[in-house]
């Protein structure tokens, strides 16, 4: 299992990429208006905060199960956010 530090870096990298994609679609491609961009970024930050809170939980009984659940939530969250960005 990767260290918490590496997991946090990976999560941060992906969510930064999602925010960057929103800005690119808003400023360069102009397919997203400002209000929708703000809403998407708020959703991305909310998902990031939720997942990071779970990563930082202490005293988890079964770490492997805990981090697999986080990974599944992370994958689902990123997939949903990408679908929203690409609408």
């Amino acid at each position: 299992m990767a260290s918490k530090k590496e997991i946090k870096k990976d999560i941060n990298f992906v969510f930064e990429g999602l925010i960057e994609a929103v800005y690119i679609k808003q400023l360069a491609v102009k397919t997203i208006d400002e209000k929708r961009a703000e809403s998407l970024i708020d959703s991305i930050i909310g998902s990031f905060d939720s997942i990071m809170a779970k990563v930082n939980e202490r005293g988890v009984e079964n770490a492997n199960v805990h981090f697999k659940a986080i990974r599944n939530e992370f994958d689902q969250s990123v997939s949903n956010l990408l679908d929203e960005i690409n609408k």
Side-chain angles (χ1 to χ4, degrees):
M1 183 171 84
S3 69
K4 275 189 179 183
K5 183 177 180 179
E6 291 298 319
I7 292 170
K8 288 178 183 181
K9 283 183 181 180
D10 292 343
I11 291 169
N12 195 36
F13 179 76
V14 171
F15 280 105
E16 283 177 3
L18 290 172
I19 291 172
E20 188 176 307
V22 171
Y23 281 130
I24 289 170
K25 288 194 87 152
Q26 179 190 9
L27 299 173
V29 183
K30 300 189 190 295
T31 57
I32 297 177
D33 64 354
E34 188 174 339
K35 283 189 175 192
R36 184 159 178 259
E38 286 180 19
S39 173
L40 287 169
I41 290 171
D42 288 344
S43 296
I44 292 167
I45 292 170
S47 295
F48 173 80
D49 290 343
S50 171
I51 290 171
M52 290 303 276
K54 291 178 182 177
V55 169
N56 290 325
E57 283 182 15
R58 296 191 182 263
V60 177
E61 289 192 23
N62 190 340
N64 286 335
V65 172
H66 178 70
F67 282 101
K68 283 182 184 179
I70 291 172
R71 177 62 185 208
N72 290 336
E73 180 182 347
F74 172 72
D75 290 342
Q76 186 64 37
S77 177
V78 169
S79 177
N80 291 341
L81 289 167
L82 281 172
D83 289 343
E84 282 295 315
I85 292 170
N86 290 324
K87 276 187 181 178

